Amino acid sequence: EDQVTQSPEALRLQEGESSSLNCSYTVSGLRGLFWYRQDPGKGPEFLFTLYSAGEEKEKERLKATLTKKESFLHITAPKPEDSATYLCAVQVTGNQFYFGTGTSLTVIP
Amino acid sequence: EPEVTQTPSHQVTQMGQEVILRCVPISNHLYFYWYRQILGQKVEFLVSFYNNEISEKSEIFDDQFSVERPDGSNFTLKIRSTKLEDSAMYFCASSEAVGDYNEQFFGPGTRLTVL
């Protein structure tokens, strides 16, 4: 069965304290791995797509990396406005998507 | 900036009633999706739609669900006979392509409450 697991479930950081979020997956036929940000009461907002092991993408304070079994979202010197739930999703053969349960990030000023 | 819109923002219905949730995808997008998120749980894929037909559907998307693109702009999700467990946030998403470039843009969601 295809599985996507995110850790930790919740993370509290001081402003400026860098950290990483993890997304591990066991799927067959991976076509892509996606990171989204979700604010309370809103739809997910696209951040990154990664397609092959070794790939990295950056956007402002965020950097996503991919291996054959997991992906990391690194947050460098976070700010309070980075507080949100970060979701990982995988696209498998065909056009189906599986999401993880997310990591709730709180950045304290 | 183009965006996906959804109506209504909140729908309350009685168990057994039919509901139609509406979405207007981004105009040049070709792939459309419905997801649901039960409160406190993960986002779950329901269905993807391309070229006026379903391309993939999950186990959740049973005979009670249907999707339609009735005109050039709207994309709807119909639940024929709602159950209490259908209460969730329903998100519509669209993308320009699939495969090498598949950034999905999500709408703000419709909160469905079944009483």
Side-chain angles (χ1 to χ4, degrees):
Chain A
E1 182 180 319
D2 295 331
Q3 293 277 0
V4 180
T5 304
Q6 290 188 247
S7 61
E9 289 186 12
L11 183 63
R12 289 172 65 88
L13 299 173
Q14 291 286 82
E15 184 171 1
E17 180 187 0
S18 301
S19 188
S20 295
L21 313 182
N22 177 263
C23 172
S24 63
Y25 59 91
T26 53
V27 299
S28 54
L30 179 74
R31 295 187 65 182
L33 184 140
F34 303 81
W35 282 99
Y36 293 88
R37 169 191 171 125
Q38 186 175 28
D39 292 299
K42 296 191 176 181
E45 175 188 344
F46 173 83
L47 294 173
F48 303 108
T49 309
L50 302 165
Y51 291 104
S52 55
E55 191 175 357
E56 297 183 354
K57 289 195 176 168
E58 287 189 65
K59 180 180 179 180
E60 296 180 355
R61 294 178 292 282
L62 301 175
K63 178 180 173 182
T65 62
L66 181 65
T67 71
K68 288 187 178 178
K69 293 187 177 181
E70 59 190 350
S71 175
F72 291 94
L73 183 66
H74 306 278
I75 302 176
T76 302
K79 298 182 178 181
E81 54 262 41
D82 294 323
S83 296
T85 296
Y86 290 85
L87 304 175
C88 165
V90 297
Q91 180 185 9
V92 298
T93 305
N95 204 18
Q96 282 218 32
F97 296 82
Y98 295 93
F99 278 76
T101 50
T103 293
S104 176
L105 174 67
T106 303
V107 182
I108 305 159
Chain B
E1 184 176 323
E3 59 182 14
V4 176
T5 59
Q6 290 186 242
T7 54
S9 57
H10 191 191
Q11 173 91 49
V12 181
T13 189
Q14 294 290 327
M15 190 171 55
Q17 295 296 304
E18 174 184 287
V19 294
I20 297 176
L21 310 183
R22 291 183 167 80
C23 167
V24 179
I26 294 173
S27 61
N28 64 330
H29 284 186
L30 302 177
Y31 296 83
F32 314 116
Y33 311 85
W34 282 103
Y35 296 85
R36 78 173 185 190
Q37 187 174 30
I38 297 170
L39 187 64
Q41 297 186 25
K42 64 175 69 175
V43 175
E44 298 174 292
F45 169 79
L46 294 178
V47 66
S48 59
F49 190 87
Y50 170 70
N51 201 25
N52 281 322
E53 62 182 25
I54 291 173
S55 54
E56 291 283 348
K57 61 182 181 179
S58 71
E59 293 177 354
I60 302 168
F61 194 88
D62 60 21
D63 293 343
Q64 291 298 313
F65 292 89
S66 62
V67 289
E68 191 178 32
R69 188 152 164 84
D71 53 43
S73 60
N74 289 284
F75 180 51
T76 62
L77 174 70
K78 182 192 290 187
I79 309 174
R80 287 192 183 81
S81 178
T82 50
K83 307 182 187 115
L84 295 176
E85 54 264 37
D86 293 327
S87 295
M89 185 74 96
Y90 288 81
F91 293 107
C92 171
S94 69
S95 65
E96 192 172 355
V98 69
D100 289 343
Y101 186 72
N102 187 26
E103 177 178 343
Q104 290 190 26
F105 291 82
F106 281 74
T110 293
R111 180 169 300 283
L112 176 66
T113 302
V114 182
L115 302 176

